[in-house]
Amino acid sequence: MKTFYLLLLCICCRVAVTAHTVQVNFTPVFGSQILKPGQTHYHTSTADSIRIEVCRFYISHIKFMHDKNVVFDAAAQVYLIDMADTVSQQLQFTLPDGVNWNAISFCLGTDSATNVSGALGGSLDPANGMYWAWQSGYINFKLEGSSPRCTARKHEFQFHLGGYASPFATLQQIRLDCVQSSNINVVCDTAKFFDYTDVKTTAAIMSPGARAVELSVAAAGLFAVKP
Amino acid sequence: MRKSTLILGLLGVVILAFRSWNPGPATPAHFPKPVYDFARNPLRSETVQLGRALFYDPLLSVNNGISCASCHSQYNGFAHADHALSHGIFDSIGTRNAPALMNLAWQKSFMWDGAVNHLDVQALAPITHPKEMGETLNGVIKKLNASVIYPSLFYNAFGDSAITGQRVLLALSQFQLTLISANAKYDSVKAGKAVFTPQQQRGYALFKTHCNTCHREPMFTTGAFSSNGLPVDTTLNDYGRGAITHRSADSLLFKIPTLRNIEFTYPYMHDGRFTRLSQVLNHYTSGIVPHKNLPAELQKPISLSPEEKVDLTAFLLTLTDKKFLYNPAYSYPKEIFSRGRRNPASLSSQ
């Protein structure tokens, strides 16, 4: 009987603290255009046309912040954002009412604990194609496409950025200030990626190392809140 | 307090609900604690059997021609007897010797260079390697879904018939985790149930003097990366661990292999360059080529008289575990495959 009351109490508590949903959208874009597979985009600074075929990345450790304080921690979940799957881009969180926040913080990539935990499921299932086979570890950020400027085979470039072990850890912490709202739009502007690296000189990064770290820092700079 | 008893009780019911629930295999008394976290992937006989079927099924390769067991055969301690370098689909030759598989629950890293950090994800490497099985994990999942036997094997193992990459990998791990070799004569001696012959005893003393720092009892490896001074094969230019960490201090280091069942796990070394134990011992006495990462123990050549080599070999043969090599629980699972048609690869209804 005691347990019954306990249960009842729990249910009451849940109802008493009202909550609301905040949706955070992660949208891969190229400048002002939303990324779609097979579309050609124009990159102004290199006067180059670029097709993006694949843009996928992991977002983890999402936190809602007020100035320097974490006010809501949605840590457990790791999200795989895919340009080809709009549902994957819409993340929903249930926040208790009355929480004030003015920034979100998140990581681009998977943390080192995730990388040494064996076979995981859901967004982290190796069948999602974001896991390296020959050397253990997740690909945190994947960008593939083609450009006439690229001298590699079929003008194709492939950036698979990842690596969890020091000194080549690629996980990036990102903080974006924003105005509290039930709908936050974060863009990942892939056009900026090509300001950091020239596909003419580097067409592929496929393993952990110093270059992967540099470009991961660059990838973190692609994220911004769109008002 | 009442609440906690209730929760405990509930937990008990949940545990009982999983028939044959068992967090890990019985650890041999003289072994250390396993490294593998069985709490995350508790062994169940149904899952072990699924893993065993997968291990022996050529369906995992792109041409349905090569299974894990093609390169890891039980009678060789799950190494590959006939090939110095691994032999995969369409007769392609890889760059390394297939290592023996045993006591994997006690291993911290996998592959000769430790490129793989967890047993669960190891299978991704051979499945996708163009010179090994040449498949993709999604390709495997598709074929498993189309097969006659697998949906029910997954149902028995996981409680529903969904076939995911994670489940394929966890099941393969489960079978491989049961490959425990702890019944050699050496183990009986340690348990006080047998005694070494005088020759084996002399060999054991030599082993402890010259080999035990790296091939440490009772696992016969420390699991560390080291070098035994093999000259670099310039047709392969394999720098081992160094290529993974990009550190010059790791150049030419390879994972110290276990010496359990060494009588049957030939050919030896990462490139399978030696076929006989006598060649291995000759290497340690007169073949070591110094380099900057050669460990101190091997800087001075090991001196062993011909009689001592015979004694040391006699000891190494006490690491043969016939119960392991002939354990029917590890063999080709005829009883599972016979539920479908004869050849496991043809089970797929395409």
Side-chain angles (χ1 to χ4, degrees):
Chain A
M1 268 305 98
K2 254 192 196 155
T3 8
F4 176 74
Y5 290 122
L6 234 137
L7 250 150
L8 208 72
L9 195 82
C10 287
I11 293 165
C12 292
C13 287
R14 284 199 72 128
V15 178
V17 180
T18 52
H20 65 283
T21 304
V22 174
Q23 180 161 324
V24 182
N25 303 307
F26 280 87
T27 315
V29 300
F30 195 100
S32 56
Q33 290 166 292
I34 290 179
L35 272 190
K36 294 220 172 62
Q39 224 166 49
T40 303
H41 305 276
Y42 187 70
H43 189 238
T44 1
S45 56
T46 52
D48 192 15
S49 68
I50 292 178
R51 266 164 83 104
I52 306 283
E53 302 291 350
V54 177
C55 175
R56 311 176 84 201
F57 48 85
Y58 279 113
I59 295 292
S60 61
H61 295 284
I62 298 188
K63 295 183 177 79
F64 291 81
M65 315 281 296
H66 189 268
D67 299 336
K68 287 206 168 85
N69 305 318
V70 178
V71 291
F72 184 78
D73 187 339
Q77 188 75 12
V78 180
Y79 301 91
L80 175 55
I81 314 288
D82 186 344
M83 74 182 255
D85 173 10
T86 41
V87 176
S88 76
Q89 302 165 11
Q90 299 158 359
L91 319 188
Q92 283 173 352
F93 304 93
T94 308
L95 270 67
D97 284 348
V99 168
N100 291 316
W101 45 277
N102 55 16
I104 55 170
S105 111
F106 55 89
C107 291
L108 173 59
T110 53
D111 61 20
S112 65
T114 304
N115 277 272
V116 297
S117 296
L120 302 173
S123 64
L124 293 166
D125 192 313
N128 293 328
M130 293 291 280
Y131 198 91
W132 273 307
W134 59 276
Q135 178 175 5
S136 302
Y138 283 94
I139 297 167
N140 287 330
F141 182 88
K142 194 187 250 194
L143 193 64
E144 295 179 357
S146 60
S147 155
R149 207 180 146 72
C150 178
T151 50
R153 189 170 160 268
K154 295 198 209 152
H155 304 292
E156 286 172 354
F157 57 81
Q158 288 167 307
F159 296 98
H160 296 184
L161 308 180
Y164 65 91
S166 150
F168 303 121
T170 51
L171 184 72
Q172 301 296 317
Q173 170 102 45
I174 298 168
R175 180 197 158 101
L176 300 174
D177 291 331
C178 47
V179 178
Q180 181 163 351
S181 142
S182 59
N183 213 22
I184 296 289
N185 292 308
V186 177
V187 294
C188 168
D189 186 356
T190 53
K192 286 189 186 153
F193 191 79
F194 302 96
D195 299 340
Y196 292 108
T197 187
D198 188 349
V199 291
K200 196 171 177 178
T201 47
T202 308
I205 301 285
M206 305 284 277
S207 60
R211 276 294 273 160
V213 175
E214 273 169 49
L215 286 179
S216 296
V217 173
L222 310 182
F223 291 85
V225 169
K226 217 178 81 188
Chain B
M1 287 309 100
R2 268 287 176 79
K3 205 175 126 205
S4 64
T5 359
L6 186 90
I7 291 175
L8 267 173
L10 268 174
L11 213 81
V13 172
V14 170
I15 288 171
L16 282 177
F18 282 88
R19 246 176 338 127
S20 57
W21 190 86
N22 171 14
T27 299
H30 57 304
F31 276 23
K33 245 183 68 189
V35 175
Y36 192 88
D37 183 0
F38 285 98
R40 295 182 76 116
N41 187 19
L43 294 193
R44 296 181 69 213
S45 60
E46 294 83 352
T47 320
V48 171
Q49 289 311 314
L50 167 61
R52 181 172 163 217
L54 293 169
F55 190 87
Y56 280 94
D57 202 328
L59 175 154
L60 268 61
S61 66
V62 70
N63 64 350
N64 298 324
I66 297 267
S67 71
C68 308
S70 308
C71 293
H72 297 285
S73 100
Q74 178 174 11
Y75 306 120
N76 300 104
F78 292 96
H80 201 183
D82 303 329
H83 297 276
L85 299 174
S86 75
H87 190 144
I89 48 165
F90 308 121
D91 282 337
S92 33
I93 304 297
T95 55
R96 289 201 180 138
N97 176 20
L101 307 181
M102 67 191 81
N103 302 335
L104 293 166
W106 284 266
Q107 216 164 287
K108 295 188 276 275
S109 64
F110 302 86
M111 309 310 223
W112 284 101
D113 53 13
V116 170
N117 67 21
H118 197 291
L119 180 61
D120 293 356
V121 290
Q122 189 285 330
L124 292 168
I127 289 173
T128 59
H129 196 297
K131 289 189 167 180
E132 293 184 359
M133 304 172 104
E135 248 301 352
T136 62
L137 189 52
N138 280 316
V140 169
I141 292 169
K142 237 189 235 140
K143 287 195 260 177
L144 293 174
N145 268 314
S147 92
V148 185
I149 57 165
Y150 282 103
S152 65
L153 291 179
F154 275 82
Y155 180 88
N156 294 340
F158 294 105
D160 67 66
S161 60
I163 300 178
T164 65
Q166 180 187 32
R167 287 177 171 183
V168 170
L169 297 174
L170 292 178
L172 275 168
S173 275
Q174 291 221 0
F175 170 64
Q176 295 180 86
L177 288 162
T178 66
L179 306 178
I180 296 175
S181 178
N183 285 304
K185 174 161 187 191
Y186 162 85
D187 300 295
S188 305
V189 172
K190 286 286 139 177
K193 292 184 192 140
V195 284
F196 283 136
T197 65
Q199 186 184 45
Q200 291 165 344
Q201 190 66 50
R202 290 194 300 274
Y204 185 32
L206 290 166
F207 179 85
K208 284 199 279 196
T209 310
H210 297 297
C211 321
N212 194 45
T213 51
C214 294
H215 300 285
R216 190 189 298 152
E217 316 172 66
M219 309 317 290
F220 292 89
T221 171
T222 58
F225 299 94
S226 188
S227 163
N228 62 355
L230 294 172
V232 176
D233 178 335
T234 52
T235 65
L236 296 168
N237 286 321
D238 191 341
Y239 292 92
R241 186 71 182 153
I244 300 296
T245 61
H246 305 278
R247 281 165 31 121
S248 71
D250 289 331
S251 179
L252 293 174
L253 303 192
F254 290 87
K255 187 153 53 64
I256 300 167
T258 182
L259 300 185
R260 285 183 171 272
N261 297 298
I262 197 71
E263 181 181 1
F264 291 98
T265 61
Y266 55 86
Y268 304 115
M269 308 303 169
H270 68 270
D271 52 8
R273 68 178 69 187
F274 301 135
T275 51
R276 288 190 300 277
L277 282 174
S278 58
Q279 295 170 310
V280 172
L281 295 188
N282 290 342
H283 164 73
Y284 280 105
T285 53
S286 54
I288 291 178
V289 175
H291 57 89
K292 72 176 177 26
N293 293 331
L294 187 68
E297 303 92 296
L298 296 179
Q299 302 258 343
K300 254 193 0 222
I302 293 176
S303 117
L304 293 170
S305 69
E307 297 73 32
E308 285 175 325
K309 284 183 182 169
V310 174
D311 293 349
L312 182 50
T313 306
F315 168 71
L316 292 175
L317 301 189
T318 71
L319 303 178
T320 296
D321 178 353
K322 288 266 162 66
K323 274 199 192 131
F324 174 78
L325 297 167
Y326 297 99
N327 188 338
Y330 304 153
S331 64
Y332 181 84
K334 317 196 248 319
E335 65 284 4
I336 300 177
F337 289 140
S338 63
R339 272 179 235 155
R341 270 160 265 158
R342 232 179 301 131
N343 171 12
S346 73
L347 289 177
S348 142
S349 46
Q350 313 274 314

